[in-house]
Amino acid sequence: MLWIKTLHILFVTSWFAGLFYLPRIYVNLAQVHDASTKTCLIGMARRLYRFMLPLAILALIFGLWLFLGYGIGMGSGWMHAKLTAVILLIIYHLACGRMLKKFEHDTNTHSHRFYRWFNEIPVILLLIVIALVVAKPF
């Protein structure tokens, strides 16, 4: 089971790298007016998003494996809260995909300030998840 935990941590960390970086690309996209730079940034965002999806799936698969294998936190409040945060991260990931489509179709209506704030959401959710897993407060 320690190998499963190792792989879960690896894929969660890799997925989060994308969740931190993709909205940063959106900040730049919301500020740029040059067509060639926009094309380059959209290409970067598209490739990153495509790479993030299998990482997210693998993180979820190994997390589920741990949950079922260890029975960690079944019936515990902290696990329910953690799973809620994971669902919010999945929604955030999907929202990033929708935003990418808007940039691809040149229909983005948000400013770079919006994306700067949007970029903080996974940091807060990661802090919550880590605190819940380590402290198991309830």
Side-chain angles (χ1 to χ4, degrees):
M1 253 332 154
L2 291 178
W3 285 109
I4 303 306
K5 189 182 289 187
T6 301
L7 291 171
H8 177 61
I9 292 168
L10 170 71
F11 291 120
V12 166
T13 305
S14 301
W15 180 33
F16 265 93
L19 290 175
F20 292 152
Y21 187 54
L22 186 60
R24 188 66 209 152
I25 295 173
Y26 294 166
V27 169
N28 295 326
L29 272 166
Q31 290 179 307
V32 73
H33 300 292
D34 175 48
S36 64
T37 305
K38 266 189 184 180
T39 301
C40 179
L41 289 170
I42 288 171
M44 289 171 58
R46 188 181 298 129
R47 287 185 298 277
L48 179 58
Y49 189 76
R50 272 196 309 238
F51 187 69
M52 288 167 52
L53 184 58
L55 296 171
I57 291 169
L58 288 167
L60 294 170
I61 287 170
F62 285 109
L64 181 62
W65 193 340
L66 285 170
F67 180 74
L68 296 174
Y70 278 126
I72 296 175
M74 287 193 183
S76 299
W78 70 269
M79 180 56 82
H80 293 279
K82 178 193 175 228
L83 292 175
T84 301
V86 170
I87 290 168
L88 291 173
L89 284 164
I90 293 167
I91 292 168
Y92 182 87
H93 180 108
L94 296 172
C96 284
R98 292 187 75 208
M99 290 173 181
L100 176 57
K101 292 288 181 207
K102 287 185 179 188
F103 279 114
E104 289 174 332
H105 295 106
D106 202 24
T107 58
N108 172 57
T109 57
H110 297 297
S111 72
H112 66 94
R113 286 187 190 94
F114 170 84
Y115 291 108
R116 288 180 197 280
W117 284 104
F118 182 74
N119 193 34
E120 301 305 320
I121 294 170
V123 175
I124 294 164
L125 289 171
L126 180 61
L127 174 63
I128 290 168
V129 167
I130 290 171
L132 289 167
V133 170
V134 172
K136 297 176 181 58
F138 45 89

